């Protein structure tokens, strides 16, 4: 009997509601579909909320941005039009990303304004926003120092300064600008550092600019992976993830699997996309009523549908023994979550397959997962449409050969003989039958609808696969070729 009741939270993962946050932030987090904290969040948020200076050691993908944005938002008094939180980030991209996260997490807190400030962008808008007293300023050190020198950035009301990716900022030569900025902020402010490494230069920066800083480090334990699971990863561009998944499902001809996403929203989106493309998929996440979750779990157990798209929390109770495939559509937070997810396949002595889709900086996180699980995660290329097609043809070929070898199809023989009587060749008869009965792809990728090449793929893969080329189609010289009776009697 499957149980979909969530088991106790994993260490480091706690409900956001247990952190003493405002209802506005809890609501925003729920809207983002975050079901529980990541380990860095549960460790750092309470300390920052208490007003401590903090050094958080964590990498991109650990949920570190929300770990400092949530307490930052909680510190804002929206009735005062002054800058109250300053966040330093090494690059324009990161500053924009952090500002986006602030925006999402502050949606329910009325009147909180934030602005990204980075070099290369026109000054005018930045002047206006800074003059209006943006509550949270997220910027690169160079441009922020520039605004300080022009007297267009007032830090006198700042309660908290965050240095995101502090090690990278030092590597990029921003130390002097950082020192200037920190010197311009009130001495009694709170200072929070996030850094992937805590090297001597970081330690000296922290010593010079914080008081009794608490170190938050997420210790990764070495966890042993599942030996019977074949682990593969595919590097894909973020926008190409769905197509890659569709290809893989078809390529491996999988009958059942669980696809993991990190948020309820992603589960909803992905399940909708799979269903829209003809795949038997259901969703499972903590935002669903318990009765509905139990129903989905029970039907999955009875193999009423092929793919379960789920969050970690909701999938905790999954107890299905013969899963062929586990997909990490989103990367898990750490090695422990990874092992937990892939342990759903390769059970009961069967060989399972775990597939991870990685985009952008996710590759570093995957490498760290590989280190901590001591498992080999093999890199492969997403199969081309032609490879998928040829694998499907091979499978059909084997099936037909087996049927031919058993010779048990007397009823069908008379139908074929009638067609042959009409003058069709045996090849034509067989091809027409296959045309009707070869199984459709489990998931149609978007590429099947829109035959333009994507950036990920050379154009040749976008031609219709060989199986479709003769459908009403091109003959030897590109002319349409019609099959039809030629009034040839079989001799
Ligand atoms: P970061 O490490 O800050 O770059 O975060 C990586 C991604 O995880 C971002 O897309 C966040 O929106 C997302 N994220 C952060 N915290 C959570 C959470 N508790 N649950 C699910 N997703 C999260």
């Amino acid at each position: 009997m499957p149980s979909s009741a969530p088991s106790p939270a994993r260490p480091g993962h706690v409900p956001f509601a247990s952190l003493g946050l405002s209802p506005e932030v809890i609501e925003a987090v729920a809207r983002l579909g975050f079901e529980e904290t990541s380990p860095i969040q549960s460790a750092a948020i309470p300390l920052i909320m208490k007003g401590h200076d903090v050094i958080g050691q964590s990498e991109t993908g650990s949920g570190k941005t929300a770990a400092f944005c949530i307490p930052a938002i909680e510190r804002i008094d929206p009735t005062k039009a002054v800058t109250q939180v300053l966040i330093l980030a090494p690059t324009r991209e990161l500053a924009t990303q952090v500002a986006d996260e602030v925006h999402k997490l502050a949606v329910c807190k009325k009147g909180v304004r934030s602005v990204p400030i980075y070099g290369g962008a026109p000054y005018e808008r930045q002047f206006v926003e800074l003059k209006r007293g943006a509550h949270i300023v997220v910027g690169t050190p160079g441009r922020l120092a520039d605004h300080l020198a022009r007297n267009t950035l007032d830090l006198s009301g700042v309660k908290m300064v965050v240095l995101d990716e502090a090690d990278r900022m030092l590597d990029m030569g921003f130390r002097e600008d950082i020192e200037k900025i920190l010197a311009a902020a009130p001495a009694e402010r709170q200072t929070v550092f996030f850094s992937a490494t805590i090297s001597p230069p970081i330690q000296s920066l922290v010593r010079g600019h914080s008081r009794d800083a608490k170190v938050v480090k997420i210790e990764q334990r070495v966890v042993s992976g599942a030996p019977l699971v074949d682990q593969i990863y595919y590097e894909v561009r973020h926008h190409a993830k769905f197509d890659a998944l569709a290809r893989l499902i078809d390529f491996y001809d999988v009958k059942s699997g669980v696809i993991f996403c990190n948020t309820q929203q992603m589960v909803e989106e992905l399940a909708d996309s799979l269903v829209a493309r003809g795949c038997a998929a259901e969703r499972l996440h903590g935002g669903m009523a318990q009765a509905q979750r139990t129903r989905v779990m029970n039907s999955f157990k009875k193999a009423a549908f092929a793919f379960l798209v789920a969050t970690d929390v909701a999938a905790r109770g999954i107890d299905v023994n013969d899963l062929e495939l586990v997909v990490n559509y989103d990367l898990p937070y750490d090695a422990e979550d990874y092992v937990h997810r892939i342990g759903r396949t390769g059970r009961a002595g069967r060989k399972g397959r775990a597939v991870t889709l990685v985009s952008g900086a996710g590759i570093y996180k995957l490498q760290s997962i590989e280190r901590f699980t001591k498992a080999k995660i093999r890199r492969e290329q997403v199969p081309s449409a032609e490879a998928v097609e040829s694998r499907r043809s091979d499978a059909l070929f084997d099936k037909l050969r087996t049927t031919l070898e058993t010779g048990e199809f007397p009823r069908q023989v008379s139908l074929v003989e009638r067609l042959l009587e009409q003058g069709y060749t045996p090849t034509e008869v067989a091809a027409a039958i296959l045309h009707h009965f070869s199984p459709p792809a489990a998931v149609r990728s978007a590429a099947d609808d829109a035959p333009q090449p994507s950036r990920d793929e050379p154009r040749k893969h976008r031609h219709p696969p060989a199986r479709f080329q003769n459908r009403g189609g091109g003959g030897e010289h590109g002319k349409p070729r019609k099959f039809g009776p030629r009034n040839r009697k079989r001799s």
Side-chain angles (χ1 to χ4, degrees):
M1 183 64 195
S3 130
S4 56
S7 50
R10 293 156 292 163
H13 300 269
V14 303
F16 280 93
S18 70
L19 298 180
L21 305 173
S22 65
E24 290 84 0
V25 167
I26 304 253
E27 168 63 22
V29 162
R31 284 198 202 172
L32 281 171
F34 297 179
E35 294 195 322
E36 52 183 13
T37 65
S38 70
I40 190 73
Q41 291 164 356
S42 59
I45 293 175
L47 286 173
I48 307 177
M49 295 276 286
K50 276 193 202 135
H52 290 291
D53 285 353
V54 167
I55 315 170
Q57 185 172 5
S58 67
E59 296 159 352
T60 299
S62 57
K64 68 179 167 70
T65 317
F68 60 77
C69 286
I70 287 176
I73 291 163
E74 296 289 24
R75 286 295 289 274
I76 301 301
D77 176 354
T79 62
K80 296 203 173 93
V82 289
T83 300
Q84 299 166 43
V85 172
L86 179 67
I87 303 175
L88 307 186
T91 61
R92 167 200 182 126
E93 287 71 31
L94 198 65
T96 324
Q97 237 168 282
V98 172
D100 279 351
E101 193 117 344
V102 167
H103 180 75
K104 287 184 205 152
L105 290 163
V107 278
C108 304
K109 203 160 164 178
K110 286 223 161 46
V112 174
R113 280 178 294 114
S114 69
V115 61
I117 300 283
Y118 46 78
Y123 279 92
E124 285 67 31
R125 198 184 144 243
Q126 298 183 352
F127 289 148
V128 173
E129 287 298 326
L130 293 175
K131 197 152 188 200
R132 281 178 69 204
H135 300 114
I136 302 182
V137 170
V138 189
T140 49
R143 181 58 71 96
L144 288 174
D146 197 2
H147 277 286
L148 272 181
R150 292 167 182 256
N151 270 329
T152 45
L153 173 64
D154 175 12
L155 298 181
S156 62
V158 163
K159 302 184 238 180
M160 181 196 280
V161 177
V162 181
L163 288 91
D164 187 18
E165 305 209 353
D167 47 352
R168 243 175 107 195
M169 289 198 282
L170 293 188
D171 288 348
M172 289 168 78
F174 283 134
R175 178 145 201 157
E176 211 177 303
D177 289 332
I178 293 173
E179 299 275 0
K180 269 191 222 153
I181 295 163
L182 291 174
E188 65 282 4
R189 58 139 210 276
Q190 177 182 16
T191 317
V192 173
F193 304 80
F194 272 86
S195 184
T197 55
I198 305 191
S199 56
I202 292 286
Q203 287 167 358
S204 101
L205 186 73
V206 171
R207 261 197 314 276
H209 298 279
S210 67
R211 274 157 292 142
D212 186 26
K214 307 273 181 250
V215 180
V216 174
K217 188 174 171 189
I218 302 307
E219 292 290 350
Q220 278 264 19
R221 284 192 302 129
V222 172
V223 278
S224 48
L228 279 169
V229 180
D230 187 22
Q231 301 171 51
I232 309 164
Y233 78 91
Y234 297 88
E235 259 189 287
V236 284
R237 287 201 177 85
H238 189 77
H239 71 271
K241 266 164 105 178
F242 181 77
D243 275 359
L245 175 69
R247 288 271 170 83
L248 292 169
I249 289 176
D250 277 333
F251 186 72
Y252 291 121
D253 191 23
V254 208
K255 304 286 179 293
S256 75
V258 175
I259 305 170
F260 283 99
C261 301
N262 287 353
T263 65
Q264 296 178 4
Q265 262 79 354
M266 199 59 234
V267 165
E268 288 286 341
E269 249 173 61
L270 180 58
D272 283 346
S273 305
L274 285 168
V275 170
R277 294 188 174 276
C279 176
E282 283 284 356
R283 67 209 70 206
L284 191 72
H285 60 67
M288 292 160 58
Q290 186 56 49
Q292 201 182 357
R293 281 159 64 172
T294 310
R295 229 177 0 255
V296 171
M297 283 299 311
N298 285 336
S299 339
F300 188 51
K301 190 130 204 222
K302 287 186 207 134
F305 57 91
F307 295 99
L308 186 67
V309 187
T311 56
D312 295 88
V313 181
R316 254 178 227 155
I318 294 178
D319 176 24
V320 178
N321 268 338
D322 49 1
L323 278 184
E324 283 177 70
L325 178 75
V326 166
V327 179
N328 293 307
Y329 195 75
D330 288 330
L331 268 181
Y333 287 118
D334 50 37
E336 231 163 299
D337 285 351
Y338 177 83
V339 169
H340 211 256
R341 285 182 179 184
I342 71 163
R344 319 287 169 135
T345 179
R347 285 193 183 175
R350 289 191 188 85
K351 203 162 162 53
R353 186 176 278 127
V355 157
T356 302
L357 300 181
V358 187
S359 49
I363 191 68
Y364 303 112
K365 193 157 149 200
L366 189 76
Q367 284 164 356
S368 119
I369 290 174
E370 200 171 17
R371 254 191 333 273
F372 283 101
T373 55
K374 295 196 182 302
K376 177 81 201 117
I377 310 176
R378 201 170 69 247
R379 178 170 196 257
E380 280 194 8
Q381 299 285 345
V382 175
S384 65
E386 281 160 343
V388 171
E389 202 43 50
S390 107
R391 188 144 166 163
R392 283 158 49 80
S393 301
D394 288 351
L396 185 61
F397 179 86
D398 286 344
K399 221 167 164 178
L400 290 173
R401 198 175 48 191
T402 313
T403 310
L404 286 165
E405 275 163 11
T406 61
E408 286 167 6
F409 34 84
R411 281 193 299 124
Q412 287 83 355
V413 167
S414 67
L415 174 65
V416 171
E417 280 179 347
R418 269 176 63 199
L419 287 163
L420 293 172
E421 289 295 319
Q422 296 278 311
Y424 296 102
T425 67
T427 307
E428 285 167 354
V429 170
I433 292 169
L434 284 175
H435 175 89
H436 276 284
F437 293 106
S438 54
V443 190
R444 285 182 304 119
S445 73
D448 297 338
D449 293 342
Q452 305 93 9
S454 81
R455 279 186 289 163
D456 277 358
E457 219 179 352
R459 176 171 280 276
K460 69 182 179 64
H461 292 154
R462 295 302 167 122
H463 288 309
R467 182 163 71 103
F468 297 117
Q469 276 173 358
N470 276 340
R471 280 194 180 169
E476 278 162 65
H477 305 289
K479 285 187 214 113
R481 174 183 163 192
K482 278 219 168 75
F483 288 128
R486 280 166 223 156
N487 296 325
R488 273 187 283 110
K489 288 266 180 199
R490 266 192 318 150
S491 52

